[in-house]
Amino acid sequence: MDLSFLLAGCGQTMTSFFVPTFLFLFLPGCILLYSIVPQKAKKYVLLIVSYVFYWLVSGPLILYLLLSTVSVFGFGLWLEKIQNRMKTALKALPKEERKAAKPAYIHEQRCVVALAVIIHIGFLLVIKYSGFLIGNLNGILSAFDSPVRFGVPQYLMPIGISFFSLQAVSYIVDVYHGLIPADHKFFRLALFMSFFPQIVEGPIVRYHQTAESLWNVKPIQYRNLTMGLQRLLYGMMKKVVVADRLNPLVENIFDKANQFDGGIIALGAVCYTIQLYMDFSGAMDAVVGIAEIFGVTMPENFERPFFSRTISEFWKRWHISLGAWFKDYIFYPITASKRMKNLTSSARKKIGNHFGPLLAGSIALFCVWFCNGLWHGAAWSFIFFGMYHFVLILLGNVISPAVKKVNTALHLRPESRGYRYMQMIRTTLLVVIGELFFRANGLSSGFRLFGRIFTTFSVTGLNSETLTKLGVDAQDLLIVGLTVLIVFAVSLMNEKGIRVRERLEKRPLVQRWVVLYALILYIVIFGAYGFGYIPVDPMYAQF
Amino acid sequence: MDRLIEILEDIQPDVDYANCTNLIDGHFLSSLDIISLIAELEEEYDITVPAVEIVPANFNSVDAMRKMIERLQEDF
């Protein structure tokens, strides 16, 4: 076995949980070490293996994570100090004077929060976006025939920085709001920031969700181990059998689009959407499963998004933790600001209950989707992706009274099965269009591909010759189709309130192990690995 | 408290506010309704609803909203 991954920063393939070095060496090693050390030492084992993991995948860039944690720890204590000072001072004042004295302390805390946000988000902005900004600036200069050019900086981006920076900000803001006390245990905070299953692709967790359970870990139990492994394998099936098998097809369609007609491009957009879902939700299954082995409950990041009836609902079910972060730290703080509240009040009186709040809401929504687009990457196609969803959600809100009227006039029942299915299909189609732009190699390429779907559409383009060009065969499509059906069936049962895993847990031991072995065999037989396949990096790790 | 239900009905009619306990989680009130509601509550009850209070637990039922209003009125 090649052990070169043990060198710092050389274990980058381990960012995927489904490679042999992680599955057969790193994870079992962690579980073994965790099991044999005394109870008191288990949390430290988790912290050490988390840092070892990060060191293996990032090498010296581990310094970013460490500095980020030290900074967050310090800012938390600083805020607490001001809060304690405020409490003592206000207590000493008569009640009627307290209201006047409070703003000075709030202002002081806000300055600390602002400094923390500037440091953490500023750092992320410099590393991730300075190249994009300077590239565009050079483009503008060139358009005006200016000889001035700025050097485009090339920074090494630490893996997971987009995830742990948001966690750092949420911790600081939550301490400021008094939702959580500042952590006095550095190692507890460090474990919350670095827990190895979630550091690469999230979910972006809030301090109150995992910090305490990570610190008070319990011995590994048989149920947690088997349930965790089962979830890990389910995620592996999604990633290795579907996402990785679709990879050559998607790459070929998007990279050599000129060779294919509109029908194939549409197929590419659909396949990419499936690939992204299976890749990312599969990784999240693994995160939840691995955490479960250690007795930690991770918040779910997906809730069967393709059953959504509107785009707005879709984003409450897809990458839930990112949407929740934007809602809590961007949307509501903007709409709850004094200016926006005044705007809402006056607008409601003038243009009514529906359109009144829409003004402030749309400003906040714009900020959310601009940030969402940019969070995914420094490129115009990502900004367009964000704006596309902003427009769709805004449009949904603007036309909803008219839609209600039309439904009443046409005697359409929004709760009827047909209406709901129609909404789900429409939402999925809109999502697929968005993903086409998301995956395209640049914004202009996205528009070109989208246009070609309509100008060169044909249903006869998919034949054995095209499949060869796409790097797949009929067997690949059959296996992908079958696995998507399995995932769909499980999702449908969960959607209907049938808790598949809990039901399975109640079945006799033999049946449970049969399912587990069947899952392993399915992955071994149908997984895309070995000769002819190039391991595919987790898609969300690059964001 | 009747006034609170009046405000809610003005913003989003056709909801059984007296008995509903999942106004947010059950998607009866959208984020835009919440923006509207907050502006109205602040005016009516002379309170300030900070962003940190905008969580489902405070808006899922009329009772929860009442408790939040009382708490914010007492807040110095």
Side-chain angles (χ1 to χ4, degrees):
Chain A
M1 187 181 276
D2 179 18
L3 295 179
S4 61
F5 78 95
L6 288 172
L7 297 168
C10 292
Q12 290 212 348
T13 52
M14 280 220 307
T15 53
S16 169
F17 301 122
F18 311 119
V19 293
T21 43
F22 183 87
L23 274 181
F24 303 125
L25 220 59
F26 189 83
L27 186 59
C30 292
I31 295 172
L32 189 69
L33 193 63
Y34 182 89
S35 307
I36 56 173
V37 298
Q39 175 62 27
K40 273 186 181 172
K42 289 192 192 301
K43 51 191 172 238
Y44 298 108
V45 165
L46 276 191
L47 179 61
I48 292 165
V49 297
S50 294
Y51 265 76
V52 167
F53 176 81
Y54 200 78
W55 179 73
L56 289 173
V57 296
S58 291
L61 296 181
I62 196 171
L63 210 62
Y64 284 102
L65 177 63
L66 190 62
L67 285 177
S68 186
T69 309
V70 170
S71 146
V72 163
F73 183 69
F75 277 116
L77 294 181
W78 190 358
L79 279 171
E80 190 189 58
K81 220 173 167 182
I82 302 169
Q83 286 167 347
N84 288 341
R85 229 174 345 107
M86 178 178 79
K87 274 180 204 158
T88 317
L90 294 181
K91 244 184 197 171
L93 288 173
K95 204 174 178 183
E96 57 277 11
E97 287 177 31
R98 288 176 188 170
K99 206 167 185 175
K102 203 175 173 183
Y105 293 100
I106 299 290
H107 178 72
E108 202 180 338
Q109 287 183 64
R110 281 186 179 166
C111 289
V112 175
V113 173
L115 184 64
V117 171
I118 288 169
I119 290 175
H120 287 272
I121 300 295
F123 203 58
L124 181 66
L125 289 176
V126 169
I127 290 184
K128 203 167 166 181
Y129 305 103
S130 54
F132 174 64
L133 287 175
I134 293 172
N136 278 296
L137 191 63
N138 284 341
I140 294 168
L141 289 170
S142 142
F144 286 98
D145 293 328
S146 164
V148 182
R149 291 288 180 281
F150 296 99
V152 179
Q154 299 285 336
Y155 294 111
L156 283 174
M157 206 166 89
I159 285 170
I161 189 171
S162 303
F163 293 93
F164 68 72
S165 295
L166 297 194
Q167 280 196 190
V169 170
S170 77
Y171 170 76
I172 295 291
V173 176
D174 287 357
V175 170
Y176 161 65
H177 282 145
L179 293 174
I180 49 166
D183 201 332
H184 285 239
K185 288 182 174 138
F186 177 75
F187 291 136
R188 178 166 56 193
L189 189 65
L191 180 55
F192 159 72
M193 289 282 287
S194 66
F195 185 44
F196 74 93
Q198 58 158 124
I199 192 91
V200 177
E201 287 190 281
I204 303 155
V205 292
R206 303 273 288 268
Y207 181 84
H208 70 86
Q209 288 177 306
T210 57
E212 209 48 50
S213 58
L214 277 169
W215 198 241
N216 297 320
V217 276
K218 298 171 187 81
I220 290 177
Q221 289 167 355
Y222 172 78
R223 182 191 178 274
N224 283 358
L225 184 68
T226 50
M227 290 291 274
L229 282 177
Q230 181 201 75
R231 186 76 190 260
L232 173 67
L233 285 169
Y234 185 63
M236 189 172 179
M237 179 185 79
K238 285 177 172 176
K239 160 82 175 155
V240 180
V241 180
V242 182
D244 288 0
R245 204 171 267 275
L246 280 176
N247 193 52
L249 178 141
V250 171
E251 280 202 340
N252 279 318
I253 294 179
F254 279 89
D255 295 345
K256 302 169 195 164
N258 288 339
Q259 298 179 17
F260 306 108
D261 66 34
I264 301 292
I265 293 169
L267 176 76
V270 171
C271 287
Y272 175 66
T273 308
I274 294 172
Q275 185 196 16
L276 190 64
Y277 173 67
M278 294 294 182
D279 186 287
F280 193 21
S281 73
M284 290 304 109
D285 286 326
V287 173
V288 175
I290 295 168
E292 197 172 359
I293 292 174
F294 297 106
V296 177
T297 308
M298 273 284 153
E300 294 289 343
N301 216 14
F302 285 89
E303 203 183 294
R304 304 170 295 281
F306 293 101
F307 288 99
S308 305
R309 295 166 65 179
T310 62
I311 286 289
S312 178
E313 187 187 348
F314 179 87
W315 283 97
K316 284 177 190 144
R317 289 163 167 252
W318 172 289
H319 206 173
I320 296 169
S321 63
L322 182 70
W325 195 96
F326 283 130
K327 189 187 77 192
D328 291 341
Y329 301 106
I330 295 182
F331 185 82
Y332 282 132
I334 291 176
T335 50
S337 66
K338 209 166 188 171
R339 258 183 213 174
M340 288 298 164
K341 279 176 187 167
N342 291 342
L343 177 67
T344 303
S345 286
S346 57
R348 277 190 68 222
K349 281 165 196 154
K350 284 174 193 155
I351 49 177
N353 280 338
H354 183 75
F355 293 104
L358 210 57
L359 270 177
S362 52
I363 293 170
L365 205 61
F366 173 84
C367 297
V368 163
W369 283 101
F370 184 76
C371 293
N372 189 311
L374 265 188
W375 182 88
H376 284 92
W380 286 108
S381 54
F382 293 121
I383 295 174
F384 176 82
F385 175 77
M387 290 301 101
Y388 170 77
H389 287 98
F390 163 67
V391 170
L392 286 179
I393 293 172
L394 192 64
L395 210 63
N397 279 313
V398 170
I399 64 168
S400 69
V403 171
K404 265 185 195 170
K405 277 184 191 164
V406 171
N407 286 342
T408 315
L410 298 177
H411 304 292
L412 292 172
R413 285 186 305 113
E415 288 314 313
S416 67
R417 199 175 279 188
Y419 196 94
R420 282 188 288 129
Y421 289 162
M422 186 275 291
Q423 284 182 308
M424 286 176 201
I425 293 167
R426 177 205 57 189
T427 304
T428 303
L429 270 176
L430 292 172
V431 168
V432 169
I433 293 169
E435 296 301 350
L436 172 100
F437 283 94
F438 190 76
R439 172 60 180 82
N441 304 320
L443 186 56
S444 51
S445 167
F447 277 112
R448 220 174 19 254
L449 290 177
F450 186 62
R452 278 174 59 88
I453 290 180
F454 301 99
T455 52
T456 63
F457 189 84
S458 123
V459 286
T460 54
L462 194 64
N463 50 42
S464 58
E465 194 190 330
T466 321
L467 282 180
T468 313
K469 267 193 198 172
L470 293 173
V472 291
D473 53 31
Q475 194 190 327
D476 282 316
L477 296 185
L478 197 69
I479 292 166
V480 165
L482 179 67
T483 317
V484 168
L485 269 180
I486 294 171
V487 174
F488 176 74
V490 172
S491 302
L492 187 65
M493 281 193 275
N494 282 321
E495 188 68 14
K496 285 181 179 290
I498 304 164
R499 292 175 167 269
V500 179
R501 296 181 79 208
E502 278 76 357
R503 278 212 170 180
L504 190 63
E505 203 189 351
K506 286 176 190 149
R507 310 297 299 174
L509 186 76
V510 178
Q511 285 184 23
R512 274 182 282 148
W513 279 97
V514 164
V515 171
L516 212 56
Y517 276 118
L519 205 50
I520 294 170
L521 272 178
Y522 193 85
I523 294 165
V524 170
I525 296 168
F526 297 126
Y529 50 83
F531 182 73
Y533 288 102
I534 303 158
V536 187
D537 287 340
M539 296 164 90
Y540 257 70
Q542 62 183 302
F543 302 134
Chain B
M1 259 322 93
D2 287 340
R3 178 68 192 128
L4 179 55
I5 292 181
E6 267 175 39
I7 292 172
L8 284 162
E9 277 173 351
D10 184 35
I11 291 167
Q12 184 64 266
D14 310 324
V15 180
D16 180 13
Y17 288 106
N19 298 309
C20 189
T21 54
N22 64 339
L23 290 169
I24 304 295
D25 297 333
H27 305 294
F28 293 101
L29 291 178
S30 69
S31 47
L32 288 180
D33 295 333
I34 293 295
I35 297 172
S36 226
L37 178 62
I38 288 166
E40 196 67 19
L41 292 181
E42 292 197 345
E43 216 167 276
E44 181 71 28
Y45 298 99
D46 190 27
I47 52 169
T48 303
V49 184
V52 66
E53 295 284 354
I54 313 173
V55 288
N58 282 343
F59 290 91
N60 261 333
S61 68
V62 169
D63 197 37
M65 285 181 223
R66 184 174 50 79
K67 280 181 184 150
M68 180 192 70
I69 293 165
E70 283 169 2
R71 187 159 35 79
L72 291 172
Q73 279 174 329
E74 281 168 18
D75 197 17
F76 53 80

